[in-house]
Amino acid sequence: MPMTVVATRNALPRCRGFLASCMLEAAPGLYVAPRLSAAVRGRIWAVLSDWFNPQSDAGYVMIWADGAQPTGVSIQTLGEPPVDLVDYDGVILARRPPLGEEEGQE
């Protein structure tokens, strides 16, 4: 049962309340559980997926230890994360747009 982390962005209050009921909110929008089984993790993700509105500005990233992956972690996302998650030769990297190319900047 590996450590699981969920980071939220602009989450609905009911999603935040749900996550707080099954995980520790270590910081605003950041939830952790040191021993979460794969079955419970899957049910949590199913609830978040069911409640997720693709037109909203909300975003969820779930990360957990996974020895089967080259990086040792697996990642699931809902919504647009503030960075692009890129698989580069089996290593997951976070890529940000170059300065000046971000939304709203010219």
Side-chain angles (χ1 to χ4, degrees):
M1 291 190 274
M3 168 75 92
T4 302
V5 177
V6 176
T8 67
R9 182 173 45 86
N10 299 330
L12 292 173
R14 78 175 182 168
C15 291
R16 292 188 65 175
F18 168 70
L19 286 169
S21 74
C22 46
M23 301 175 82
L24 172 66
E25 188 171 11
L30 183 68
Y31 302 86
V32 297
R35 290 176 300 278
L36 202 62
S37 71
V40 173
R41 185 176 61 240
R43 287 193 292 274
I44 290 171
W45 194 253
V47 169
L48 292 176
S49 297
D50 187 47
W51 290 353
F52 181 70
N53 177 0
Q55 285 78 35
S56 72
D57 189 32
Y60 302 91
V61 178
M62 181 182 275
I63 303 167
W64 68 95
D66 184 353
Q69 298 297 321
T71 58
V73 298
S74 283
I75 299 175
Q76 285 182 302
T77 62
L78 278 173
E80 292 294 322
V83 296
D84 288 331
L85 298 175
V86 181
D87 183 343
Y88 184 78
D89 288 336
V91 177
I92 299 172
L93 303 173
R95 178 177 59 191
R96 296 186 182 276
L99 290 176
E101 290 185 24
E102 295 175 1
E103 278 188 42
Q105 292 188 359
E106 301 199 22

